[in-house]
Amino acid sequence: MPASSTRARLVAAAFRLFTARGFEATTVDDIAAEAGVGRTTFFRSFPSKEAVVFPDHAPILGAVDARLASASRDSADLALLEASRIVLDNYLADGDVARARYALTTSVPALRATESANQRAYQQLFRDHIRRWITPVDGELADDLLAEVLANAVVTAHNHVLRRWLRGTSDDPRRDLADAIGAVTSRIGLDAAAHEDTQVVVLRSRRSFDDVLPEVRRLLAD
Amino acid sequence: MPASSTRARLVAAAFRLFTARGFEATTVDDIAAEAGVGRTTFFRSFPSKEAVVFPDHAPILGAVDARLASASRDSADLALLEASRIVLDNYLADGDVARARYALTTSVPALRATESANQRAYQQLFRDHIRRWITPVDGELADDLLAEVLANAVVTAHNHVLRRWLRGTSDDPRRDLADAIGAVTSRIGLDAAAHEDTQVVVLRSRRSFDDVLPEVRRLLAD
DNA sequence: GTCCTGGGTGGTACGGAGTACCGTACTAGG
DNA sequence: CCTAGTACGGTACTCCGTACCACCCAGGAC
């Protein structure tokens, strides 16, 4: 019997017991007994009782890292979308486990904490790659902050879409993700940092947008 | 001897031992003995060993909540700045403890997890108030996401400034905070959602900004 | 066949966190 | 002096996580 099967049995046993009795009321001995193995074997497969709730964290994190590493500055926006999509697809792959995990993380404080730690890992991953795409231009204070805010926004957008789907509010989460990531990158994207000569001023006018735009274009032409 | 003094002695004892021996190598018995109290008293003052590292979390969270609750939509930007400034000022008040805490959270995984959980509390606080300021307009998908992203960005900006100061890279953290929050709200601020008739187009020109702006103003005037 | 080696496993024992419970001292107020 | 309330210390318990050891079993060397 290969080791992966033992891991899978432990995960299945843990989710069965957690959803039935609750997280705190289930001991590691219970999980091991339910899976038909010893307590020591559990801790060989998972570093803690919390970790069994997020069994695919490390491999997904690695896949996201690989996707981001393969991108350059020009393909940044697409990389952000597809990297977050890797995570989303993994949740969509088996929705029952994802929903069970959602129910657990929303009710058990200890699991919320480890989930926060996991999301922090994603944020740092995105941040580092975004910073790598930015720094060729310059290394100002604002750039480090921009990288962090953008990374945070991407993760937040993903979580937002995922949560909506888990609650049944969304029909097409992949499309929602594309919209959300697009909305985020269009506001906090890298382009604004790239063109430092860009200046932003908000003006209001009673004139219609379609009327004004051609005139402004003409004004800036020469 | 009032109860607050016991708490303070426990915090001081904990930081002494944590910085000297490390977090894991220090037991709760050690902290209690160092503070001259029993082990039971420790758990009466703090719910866990980790919590003693963030003794002012709850009151600061309350103060931030109060500041945000007193703001309306029009004073939103100022409220975001001042609310985050409450947190910053509390760290600046005794920098030694803040630096010791920073050294601990960066090296001890368990403390990073609880810090993430604490920051999550701030994010949810900001998110709820921002959502309260937005929802009068409409309740679209994008608005919930905007509230979450903006809340996240504010917390990120604060953490960014705080971390720079803790590392000694910054001289005037209050000014940096104002800049960072300003940079964040100008990009992700509520105004864009408020004025739905606003449209954004990026145009490039060889002409200088100062030349163009008055002409554009004149163009939009009538 | 016997011997040896190494990976996966189960069992036992231990330290330490967190909880429940009880007894005690000190104080305030009648 | 008595009583009620409060803060404190001590003991015992469960459970997580780790260290250590003994076991089984496959497979190769001779």
Side-chain angles (χ1 to χ4, degrees):
Chain A
M1 198 83 73
S4 66
S5 172
T6 304
R7 249 185 81 99
R9 281 216 317 280
L10 281 168
V11 171
F15 272 90
R16 261 199 307 276
L17 295 179
F18 288 164
T19 54
R21 307 183 201 170
F23 180 79
E24 285 99 348
T26 305
T27 70
V28 175
D29 289 277
D30 296 338
I31 303 171
E34 174 86 6
V37 298
R39 205 177 85 101
T40 312
T41 303
F42 177 89
F43 283 108
R44 279 202 189 89
S45 301
F46 300 97
S48 72
K49 184 183 168 187
E50 286 87 11
V52 76
V53 182
F54 311 93
D56 298 331
H57 173 62
I60 299 178
L61 196 68
V64 170
D65 189 25
R67 178 63 188 89
L68 293 178
S70 74
S72 71
R73 186 215 183 74
D74 297 330
S75 58
D77 281 8
L78 184 62
L80 292 179
L81 172 60
E82 291 191 358
S84 57
R85 194 171 178 146
I86 290 174
V87 185
L88 184 68
D89 284 344
N90 263 281
Y91 278 87
L92 265 52
D94 49 0
D96 292 338
V97 176
R99 277 175 224 275
R101 176 169 36 235
Y102 179 64
L104 286 173
T105 53
T106 50
S107 60
V108 180
L111 292 177
R112 273 205 300 273
T114 62
E115 194 192 31
S116 294
N118 288 348
Q119 292 185 5
R120 187 171 192 152
Y122 283 111
Q123 286 170 11
Q124 290 183 356
L125 208 57
F126 277 97
R127 168 176 59 91
D128 290 344
H129 284 284
I130 292 170
R131 199 148 53 186
R132 179 169 62 83
W133 296 329
I134 290 183
T135 40
V137 177
D138 61 354
E140 295 261 340
L141 174 146
D143 284 348
D144 270 8
L145 178 57
L146 171 66
E148 212 150 2
V149 169
L150 178 54
N152 234 308
V154 169
V155 174
T156 301
H158 165 272
N159 290 342
H160 187 83
V161 171
L162 174 62
R163 221 176 310 133
R164 280 177 61 87
W165 179 75
L166 287 171
R167 285 201 281 244
T169 325
S170 167
D171 303 323
D172 191 352
R174 286 194 183 83
R175 181 197 172 89
D176 290 346
L177 182 68
D179 290 347
I181 298 290
V184 155
T185 51
S186 70
R187 284 211 190 191
I188 330 174
L190 302 180
D191 294 337
H195 314 305
E196 293 189 339
D197 54 345
T198 302
Q199 308 217 26
V200 176
V201 170
V202 175
L203 302 170
R204 314 201 65 183
S205 172
R206 285 201 187 81
R207 303 186 55 185
S208 95
F209 180 76
D210 294 323
D211 287 353
V212 172
L213 186 56
E215 302 187 34
V216 174
R217 278 194 200 281
R218 216 177 307 124
L219 187 63
L220 299 177
D222 60 311
Chain B
M1 195 84 72
S4 65
S5 172
T6 303
R7 249 185 81 99
R9 282 217 316 280
L10 281 168
V11 171
F15 271 90
R16 262 199 307 277
L17 295 179
F18 287 164
T19 55
R21 307 182 200 171
F23 180 79
E24 284 99 348
T26 304
T27 69
V28 174
D29 289 277
D30 295 337
I31 303 171
E34 174 85 6
V37 298
R39 203 176 87 100
T40 311
T41 302
F42 177 89
F43 284 107
R44 277 203 190 87
S45 301
F46 301 96
S48 72
K49 185 183 167 188
E50 286 87 11
V52 75
V53 182
F54 311 93
D56 298 331
H57 173 63
I60 300 177
L61 197 68
V64 170
D65 190 25
R67 177 62 187 88
L68 293 178
S70 76
S72 70
R73 185 212 183 76
D74 297 329
S75 59
D77 281 8
L78 184 63
L80 292 178
L81 172 59
E82 291 191 357
S84 57
R85 197 177 181 137
I86 290 174
V87 184
L88 183 69
D89 284 344
N90 264 282
Y91 279 87
L92 265 51
D94 49 359
D96 292 337
V97 175
R99 276 175 226 276
R101 175 170 34 235
Y102 179 64
L104 286 173
T105 52
T106 51
S107 61
V108 180
L111 292 177
R112 273 205 301 273
T114 62
E115 195 192 31
S116 294
N118 288 348
Q119 291 185 4
R120 189 170 190 153
Y122 283 110
Q123 287 170 11
Q124 290 183 356
L125 208 57
F126 278 96
R127 168 175 60 91
D128 290 344
H129 284 285
I130 293 170
R131 199 148 50 184
R132 179 170 61 84
W133 295 329
I134 290 182
T135 40
V137 178
D138 61 352
E140 294 262 341
L141 174 148
D143 284 347
D144 271 8
L145 178 57
L146 171 67
E148 211 151 2
V149 169
L150 178 55
N152 233 308
V154 169
V155 174
T156 302
H158 165 272
N159 291 341
H160 188 82
V161 171
L162 174 62
R163 222 177 308 134
R164 280 178 62 87
W165 179 74
L166 287 171
R167 286 202 281 244
T169 325
S170 167
D171 304 323
D172 191 351
R174 286 192 184 83
R175 181 196 172 88
D176 289 347
L177 183 68
D179 290 347
I181 298 290
V184 156
T185 51
S186 70
R187 284 211 191 192
I188 329 175
L190 302 179
D191 293 338
H195 315 306
E196 295 189 338
D197 54 346
T198 302
Q199 308 217 26
V200 175
V201 171
V202 176
L203 301 170
R204 314 201 64 182
S205 172
R206 286 202 185 80
R207 304 185 55 185
S208 96
F209 180 76
D210 294 323
D211 287 353
V212 174
L213 186 55
E215 303 187 33
V216 175
R217 278 193 200 281
R218 216 176 309 124
L219 189 62
L220 299 178
D222 61 309

